[in-house]
Amino acid sequence: TMKALVVKAKNQTELKFLADLLKKLGIESTQMEIEEVEDQVMSILMKKADRTKKVSRETIMKKLKAS
């Protein structure tokens, strides 16, 4: 199975170095903003969520009011 590696560069210079290195090694890479990475992770978590349980509107409203 194919896997991905997420690397967070300290600055633009380091990002460029890593991108160039991966290109020279023949490894495909894509640059993403941190918000895009967060969106991807949230999507994965939502797909794995248990959707069989039902929660009443009243319970949800109580939780929202407690926040």
Side-chain angles (χ1 to χ4, degrees):
T1 62
M2 192 181 302
K3 295 191 177 197
L5 176 66
V6 178
V7 178
K8 184 176 177 184
K10 293 180 217 167
N11 53 47
Q12 282 299 118
T13 304
E14 187 175 88
L15 181 65
K16 182 172 178 358
F17 170 78
L18 291 169
D20 290 345
L21 177 61
L22 291 170
K23 187 175 182 179
K24 286 182 182 180
L25 292 172
I27 300 172
E28 183 180 337
S29 67
T30 302
Q31 293 183 26
M32 299 173 73
E33 296 294 328
I34 192 70
E35 291 83 9
E36 293 173 294
V37 175
E38 291 169 352
D39 289 346
Q40 291 290 326
V41 172
M42 182 60 78
S43 174
I44 291 166
L45 292 174
M46 289 172 66
K47 287 176 185 173
K48 290 182 179 180
D50 181 4
R51 297 174 192 221
T52 60
K53 296 179 183 175
K54 299 285 182 180
V55 179
S56 70
R57 185 177 196 284
E58 182 180 310
T59 302
I60 293 171
M61 296 310 288
K62 283 181 184 177
K63 289 283 186 182
L64 290 173
K65 289 177 185 175
S67 300

